[in-house]
Amino acid sequence: MTSQSQGIQQLLQAEKRAKDKLEEAKKRKGKRLRQAKEEATAEIDHYRLQREKEFRNKQTNVMGSQGNLSAKIEEQTTETIRTLTSSYHKNMESMMKKLLNTICDINPEVHPNFRHAV
């Protein structure tokens, strides 16, 4: 009987060691999963930051060129307005004289198609 009880004790001890090893393996697996998840999160964050930086650079390039373009358009508009204003002031006097001469100097003439009734 003692050999039987020793055999049972050995089986119980072996079962306990197996159970401990199984729990240890589960803990290692959980630890590896958490570590993998943390690494994946860190990699995703790094990738996201890299892509956002590239996006901001492209956005700056595009918006910067639009800013330059709007500045050029504004400058051209200002120059055109300045030219037109200068032309207006230069030609206003002569045009007013021509208009007044055309309106005020009336030469009454008979139209060539007018038939005089005799």
Side-chain angles (χ1 to χ4, degrees):
M1 279 250 279
T2 57
S3 68
Q4 225 179 7
S5 74
Q6 278 183 337
I8 292 174
Q9 287 295 338
Q10 286 178 347
L11 283 175
L12 288 173
Q13 287 176 354
E15 185 179 330
K16 185 177 180 195
R17 283 192 307 259
K19 188 176 180 183
D20 289 343
K21 284 184 179 182
L22 185 63
E23 286 183 27
E24 177 86 24
K26 285 181 181 180
K27 286 179 185 179
R28 282 194 312 257
K29 181 181 177 184
K31 187 177 179 180
R32 280 194 316 243
L33 284 173
R34 281 190 299 273
Q35 184 181 7
K37 184 177 180 181
E38 289 171 1
E39 289 174 2
T41 304
E43 189 174 331
I44 289 169
D45 290 340
H46 176 67
Y47 180 74
R48 180 181 294 129
L49 289 174
Q50 182 183 9
R51 296 300 284 174
E52 285 178 1
K53 183 179 177 183
E54 290 175 11
F55 173 74
R56 286 194 183 100
N57 287 338
K58 287 181 181 181
Q59 187 178 25
T60 302
N61 290 340
V62 169
M63 295 305 246
S65 65
Q66 284 181 352
N68 293 341
L69 184 61
S70 65
K72 284 182 182 178
I73 291 172
E74 186 69 31
E75 185 179 316
Q76 288 175 350
T77 304
T78 304
E79 183 61 33
T80 304
I81 290 171
R82 191 178 306 123
T83 304
L84 290 173
T85 304
S86 171
S87 177
Y88 166 77
H89 288 298
K90 187 171 113 180
N91 296 319
M92 182 182 70
E93 191 75 29
S94 64
M95 280 307 298
M96 289 302 287
K97 284 181 183 179
K98 284 182 183 179
L99 280 172
L100 287 173
N101 285 339
T102 303
I103 294 171
C104 294
D105 292 340
I106 300 173
N107 294 330
E109 297 176 355
V110 177
H111 195 272
N113 292 338
F114 179 72
R115 293 187 185 170
H116 189 54
V118 182

